[in-house]
Amino acid sequence: MSDAVCVKCGSRKDGAFAPCAACGLDPAEHRALQAKSLLLSAAHASPAELAEAERRLKAGQPVAYAPERLAALEEELRTQQTPLLQPAKRGLPPIVWLPVVVAAAVVSAILYAFFSH
């Protein structure tokens, strides 16, 4: 399913952040490209808007991006954190619990080995 349009060549692609198979543009290279790619995806544009953007870009015409929407998406991308580092609703981020779980597993293995003989 093609749910986004490449911001460079207008080809359809799967997902806003996927590299374009037609021209090779990878939105991961720059935050502004990521924001534009999001605006040219099914998450932010109607099927008619995507079709129009596709037509314009394939014809070599520019696509107008709403400056305020583009700036808001860039800011959202800038402040986005990875899930492992985001604080939980209560307590510590999940990544803090990883050493605790590993330590508990090691202690359990040692205790099992000691008491199983």
Side-chain angles (χ1 to χ4, degrees):
M1 173 173 143
S2 297
D3 64 351
V5 173
C6 174
V7 300
K8 181 178 179 184
C9 71
S11 295
R12 290 289 181 136
K13 60 183 189 160
D14 292 329
F17 297 142
C20 179
C23 72
L25 180 71
D26 186 355
E29 296 173 3
H30 195 272
R31 192 171 291 122
L33 286 176
Q34 292 172 354
K36 287 179 179 180
S37 294
L38 278 172
L39 287 177
L40 293 187
S41 72
H44 292 272
S46 70
E49 290 170 324
L50 290 178
E52 177 61 15
E54 179 180 12
R55 184 194 68 73
R56 291 183 66 79
L57 288 165
K58 284 185 175 181
Q61 299 171 339
V63 172
Y65 300 96
E68 63 281 348
R69 288 181 69 198
L70 198 57
L73 280 174
E74 283 188 53
E75 180 63 18
E76 185 177 324
L77 289 166
R78 187 184 69 75
T79 60
Q80 189 173 22
Q81 296 179 345
T82 60
L84 286 178
L85 299 177
Q86 284 180 333
K89 292 187 194 265
R90 284 185 157 167
L92 300 170
I95 199 164
V96 172
W97 291 105
L98 183 61
V100 173
V101 171
V102 170
V106 169
V107 168
S108 296
I110 291 170
L111 291 174
Y112 176 77
F114 181 74
F115 287 113
S116 66
H117 289 282

